[in-house]
Amino acid sequence: MRQAEQGDADAARGACLRTMLEALPSPVLLIDQANRIVDVNQAFCDLAGRDRDYWLSTPSETYLTQEQLARFSFERAQVFATGKDLETEEVIKGHDGTRRNVVTRRRRILIGDTPLVLTILTDITPLRTAEAHIRHLAYHDALSGLPNRAALNEQLATALADGAPALLLIDLYQFKDINDAFGDAVGDALLRAFAYRLAGAARGSDRVARTGGDSFAVLVDDCHDSVAAEAECRRLLALVDAPFIGGAVAATLGVSIGCAWAESGLCADELHRRAEFALYEAKRQPANEFRLYDAALAAEVQARRTLEADLRTALTAGDQFDVHYQPVIDAGGHRVVGVEALVRWQHPQQGMIPPVRFIPIAEASGLIVPLGEWVLDRAVAMMARFPALSLAVNLSPIQLRSPGIETRILAVLARHGMDPRQLQLEVTESTMLAMDTGVELALARLREVGVQLVLDDFGTGCSSLSHLHKLAVDRVKIDQSFVRDLGRSQDARAIIQAVLGIGQSLGIGVTAEGVEDELQRGFLRAFGCHEYQGYLFSRPLPTADAVAFLEAHMERAAA
């Protein structure tokens, strides 16, 4: 009778335990000290596959590897021995063959007098999947799918520890112009096309990354010297020989490449810095050029970067720049008809820095826009008092592409009360070749109110009558290199005569730059040149000297 009651009690406890196990949403199993599963719930069966009878009747050696069996046995023994809970994370294979990330929590319990390990599994696969996705996003570029700068930095550190890699930094040449011309959608498609071609050209352990908007990088193992680095640069340059397809647009892309390779003891930051130095120099060249790092190049680049920083400081301070004015003289050689405004920079430590040093830096950095507008404002304010004289101001391609440039120019004229017909904007032939519809519309608006357009350095670029006709140029300036060679070069004389003939045929004024002696003046006068500018008549003058010079000439003209 007592045994029957005990059996009924055990059965009741077993039924209660079963009810409790099935009430738990997580997969649960009970394991005894002999490593046998004594019970599981349905959630466990759903996760691992098979039914309850299988798990209760099948030895664990059947479905566990030797490594798993040893590890799980050790962990359960630890829980039985210490009575302390144990939590681990592992990857298991679900019944459908998929890999699942689970956290396993083990606790020693007593069912009657029998010690067991209660094992509860929590499926954290969605969490780990989300973390992996976040990690992928953190280390990959969303547009191209390539590793990003953060991933490159980690790869670079590993590569330096393992060997002597080379780092090649690649910028797409003037890609902003393509974006502006075709729109962001086409630009993005072209970036993807370039990324795929670059990744497809990677060899073995090469690693490719997109590090910025139109910037990419390639990390190459075992590239020990300039010969290997140059070969790698030339191999990558060949990738842009064929056009790229972006939507309905087929475009030829240019690149600039800077390369540096590891030396003993070189850290990742220094290798990256050296490659950037080389890229900085390559970007100063035409498209599809590369530069390799060397110490002399680094010193030159650092000097330019220092000068760029000083240029920014000078623009903020506003007291280091000045505008000088070089008079333009009429054909008779006596009457001043205008001036050209030329910026000068008095550096606090280096003294007077010639424009040939800082203007290219201003253009490359975009600082030419605020600098050019500062020059225009100063020059217009000064020359508004001489309404009979023209004012010529240089306009760079960067300024021309600056949105709203025509509005800002007209605002400066209005602020100082200058007649727009007094202003001449000088642009180069290369600027004309790069003009898009927006620039042409801006210039057309300025010409409508009377601003004159002057083609500077005519004859040094791709001179074309179509440029003169298309933009309705008012005047051309003969480059001083031809004027300088007048006395000794028949070719220079022929070019000048041709330019003057074009001007006469089209009704366009012609100004000769760089006139320095009477021989040059005599040739130009005999050829029928309209206006002269050069040291023979006057050097560029500071504002106070220019005012005195112009007032004296105005008085003589009025006498």
Side-chain angles (χ1 to χ4, degrees):
M1 183 69 177
R2 187 172 295 175
Q3 288 180 345
E5 291 176 353
Q6 182 64 42
D8 290 343
D10 289 343
R13 281 196 298 269
C16 180
L17 178 62
R18 289 287 313 138
T19 301
M20 291 171 55
L21 291 178
E22 294 301 340
L24 293 172
S26 299
V28 177
L29 60 160
L30 292 170
I31 303 174
D32 65 14
Q33 287 181 303
N35 282 333
R36 293 186 303 241
I37 296 177
V38 299
D39 211 344
V40 297
N41 65 358
Q42 187 59 44
F44 178 81
C45 295
D46 292 341
L47 173 66
R50 310 287 183 138
D51 58 18
R52 179 170 177 267
D53 290 340
Y54 172 85
W55 296 110
L56 299 187
S57 62
T58 305
S60 55
E61 294 86 348
T62 304
Y63 49 81
L64 293 178
T65 66
Q66 287 299 315
E67 186 274 330
Q68 289 174 322
L69 186 63
R71 181 163 59 86
F72 292 164
S73 297
F74 174 79
E75 291 168 352
R76 281 191 292 271
Q78 182 180 343
V79 174
F80 277 122
T82 65
K84 294 181 179 180
D85 292 355
L86 179 65
E87 181 177 304
T88 59
E89 181 177 339
E90 47 250 345
V91 178
I92 65 172
K93 187 177 291 186
H95 71 280
D96 57 358
T98 59
R99 295 167 64 85
R100 313 294 296 178
N101 295 83
V102 296
V103 171
T104 304
R105 298 178 178 87
R106 301 173 181 86
R107 171 171 294 183
R108 189 180 69 181
I109 63 172
L110 286 174
I111 302 296
D113 296 328
T114 305
L116 301 171
V117 170
L118 173 67
T119 304
I120 301 176
L121 308 180
T122 302
D123 187 357
I124 60 169
T125 303
L127 173 63
R128 293 293 180 253
T129 301
E131 289 175 345
H133 180 62
I134 292 172
R135 187 162 53 251
H136 180 85
L137 293 178
Y139 285 93
H140 288 79
D141 168 56
L143 178 67
S144 66
L146 292 177
N148 60 14
R149 181 182 291 273
L152 176 69
N153 290 339
E154 290 193 1
Q155 293 168 345
L156 183 55
T158 302
L160 282 168
D162 295 341
L167 178 62
L168 292 85
L169 299 182
I170 306 168
D171 268 16
L172 298 183
Y173 187 78
Q174 295 182 349
F175 189 75
K176 183 179 182 300
D177 293 345
I178 294 177
N179 250 351
D180 292 343
F182 298 111
D184 290 342
V186 170
D188 287 350
L190 290 170
L191 285 170
R192 282 191 293 269
F194 180 80
Y196 299 157
R197 191 178 295 181
L198 186 62
R203 301 173 302 180
S205 60
D206 291 356
R207 280 139 294 184
V208 177
R210 182 183 178 214
T211 57
D214 56 6
S215 301
F216 297 81
V218 178
L219 185 59
V220 180
D221 284 337
D222 298 323
C223 188
H224 299 276
D225 54 31
S226 61
V227 175
E230 180 174 341
E232 193 63 27
C233 289
R234 294 193 183 281
R235 187 178 74 85
L236 295 184
L237 281 179
L239 296 179
V240 298
D241 287 346
F244 293 82
I245 306 300
V249 175
T252 299
L253 300 181
V255 295
S256 302
I257 302 176
C259 178
W261 56 96
E263 298 172 351
S264 177
L266 201 66
C267 67
D269 287 345
E270 177 61 18
L271 180 59
H272 204 284
R273 188 181 72 90
R274 291 184 175 189
E276 284 186 331
F277 276 142
L279 177 62
Y280 187 91
E281 179 63 22
K283 289 170 67 173
R284 297 180 65 242
Q285 315 305 319
N288 301 328
E289 292 285 344
F290 68 88
R291 288 294 181 270
L292 305 180
Y293 171 86
D294 63 44
L297 179 146
E300 182 181 346
V301 171
Q302 187 58 51
R304 284 199 299 272
R305 285 185 169 179
T306 300
L307 201 60
E308 179 183 329
D310 291 348
L311 190 58
R312 292 182 186 276
T313 301
L315 279 169
T316 301
D319 59 356
Q320 298 179 25
F321 294 108
D322 193 13
V323 180
H324 288 200
Y325 302 86
Q326 186 168 34
V328 179
I329 310 299
D330 72 350
H334 302 291
R335 186 172 66 89
V336 177
V337 295
V339 297
E340 179 181 0
L342 302 165
V343 65
R344 294 294 183 264
W345 181 13
Q346 184 69 35
H347 192 281
Q349 283 81 42
Q350 300 184 39
M352 187 66 74
I353 297 180
V356 70
R357 277 189 63 198
F358 70 84
I359 292 298
I361 294 174
E363 290 180 337
S365 63
L367 294 175
I368 194 67
V369 175
L371 177 60
E373 292 181 4
W374 182 89
V375 171
L376 178 67
D377 185 78
R378 286 297 184 92
V380 169
M382 192 284 240
M383 289 300 295
R385 73 183 81 176
F386 300 103
L389 304 180
S390 65
L391 167 64
V393 177
N394 291 281
L395 209 57
S396 80
I398 307 297
Q399 288 176 274
L400 272 175
R401 289 197 293 268
S402 175
I405 180 65
E406 74 279 14
T407 301
R408 296 197 299 278
I409 290 174
L410 294 177
V412 170
L413 296 176
R415 183 163 60 249
H416 297 292
M418 175 181 278
D419 188 332
R421 292 172 294 182
Q422 191 180 347
L423 179 63
Q424 296 179 348
L425 296 178
E426 295 192 5
V427 298
T428 62
E429 290 181 69
S430 60
T431 301
M432 285 192 166
L433 290 174
M435 283 184 183
D436 56 24
T437 303
V439 172
E440 290 179 11
L441 290 174
L443 290 177
R445 183 184 171 196
L446 290 169
R447 294 197 78 257
E448 285 175 0
V449 298
V451 175
Q452 297 182 56
L453 186 61
V454 178
L455 184 57
D456 198 11
D457 301 337
F458 189 72
T460 60
C462 302
S463 304
S464 171
L465 293 178
S466 64
H467 299 155
L468 305 180
H469 175 71
K470 183 179 181 181
L471 291 172
V473 169
D474 298 285
R475 176 171 293 276
V476 296
K477 299 185 81 169
I478 301 172
D479 186 67
Q480 58 184 323
S481 61
F482 299 120
V483 175
R484 185 169 51 247
D485 292 340
L486 260 177
R488 58 179 181 270
S489 170
Q490 181 60 41
D491 289 343
R493 291 194 290 272
I495 289 172
I496 289 176
Q497 285 180 296
V499 173
L500 289 167
I502 290 171
Q504 292 169 1
S505 300
L506 298 178
I508 295 173
V510 179
T511 301
E513 294 182 296
V515 182
E516 297 183 354
D517 57 45
E518 288 292 348
L519 177 63
Q520 294 169 350
R521 176 184 174 184
F523 272 117
L524 291 166
R525 189 170 187 176
F527 294 156
C529 185
H530 305 104
E531 295 181 356
Y532 314 129
Q533 180 181 343
Y535 283 13
L536 176 62
F537 309 101
S538 174
R539 292 176 175 271
L541 302 171
T543 301
D545 294 344
V547 169
F549 182 92
L550 296 177
E551 287 178 343
H553 273 267
M554 298 297 287
E555 290 175 2
R556 284 198 296 272

